[in-house]
Amino acid sequence: MTESPLTIQSILVPELTLCGVPGTSKKRILELIAENVARRYPELDETQIFNNLVSRERLGSTGIGQGIAIPHCRLEGCHQVVGALLTLEEGVAFDAIDNQPVDLLFVLIVPKEATSEHLELLSQLAEKFNDRSFCERLRRCEEAAQLYEVMTQSE
């Protein structure tokens, strides 16, 4: 079996690794994600990103439990997989499966047609976030550069 060339390390950029983000609600966090992604990738539409993330959340929360969420969506006009990692100052209600507030998010925005890559990345993320000590290392990061390092070094 060959290793997929699409890895967390290959899609996450330092500019979309945010540490200690203030967030008051799920909606505000999704808005902030859309703003930052559109700033980094100006060819992507901020409103479309936000609307697609919200539409995906309406299908069922991407809060996977233990304070972690993996918001994701497909996006028309997106030509590469985009990843963003955020830690929040305080947990926010995210309708997670365990009803716990979320303070650790990894966002995936994928091209409309990128089905298998999308699923492969979700699988990689779920595996990483299943490791409690790894999640604690992420939560202890006090600056974005450190957060980026921890997320990308352990692949």
Side-chain angles (χ1 to χ4, degrees), residues 124-141:
Q124 288 177 37
L125 288 165
E127 191 176 319
K128 273 185 166 309
F129 288 136
N130 203 26
D131 178 346
R132 286 184 187 213
S133 65
F134 173 73
C135 293
E136 285 314 308
R137 286 201 312 275
L138 291 175
R139 286 183 171 110
R140 282 194 302 265
C141 292

Side-chain angles (χ1 to χ4, degrees), residues 58-77:
R58 282 193 192 115
L59 296 174
S61 177
T62 57
I64 61 171
Q66 298 176 13
I68 301 161
I70 308 176
H72 55 280
C73 67
R74 295 193 182 137
L75 190 66
E76 196 77 54

Side-chain angles (χ1 to χ4, degrees), residues 21-126:
V21 174
T24 51
S25 68
K26 180 179 188 175
K27 180 178 182 265
R28 181 61 199 126
I29 296 300
L30 296 176
E31 285 172 346
L32 188 90
I33 290 164
E35 286 168 22
N36 280 282
V37 170
R39 189 176 310 124
R40 173 65 174 82
Y41 298 100
E43 69 276 14
L44 301 179
D45 180 67
E46 180 180 329
T47 304
Q48 190 183 12
I49 295 166
F50 174 73
N51 289 340
N52 287 17
L53 287 170
V54 168
S55 292
R56 172 56 192 85
E57 288 298 322
R58 282 193 192 115
L59 296 174
S61 177
T62 57
I64 61 171
Q66 298 176 13
I68 301 161
I70 308 176
H72 55 280
C73 67
R74 295 193 182 137
L75 190 66
E76 196 77 54
C78 181
H79 300 291
Q80 69 186 75
V81 177
V82 175
L85 175 64
L86 295 84
T87 59
L88 305 181
E89 261 178 9
E90 291 180 26
V92 298
F94 220 84
D95 305 314
I97 57 172
D98 62 359
N99 292 317
Q100 296 300 307
V102 164
D103 66 346
L104 185 57
L105 298 95
F106 196 101
V107 183
L108 271 181
I109 298 167
V110 299
K112 196 103 178 133
E113 59 286 340
T115 313
S116 61
E117 291 95 332
H118 187 186
L119 296 175
E120 170 60 27
L121 283 163
L122 285 171
S123 168
Q124 288 177 37
L125 288 165

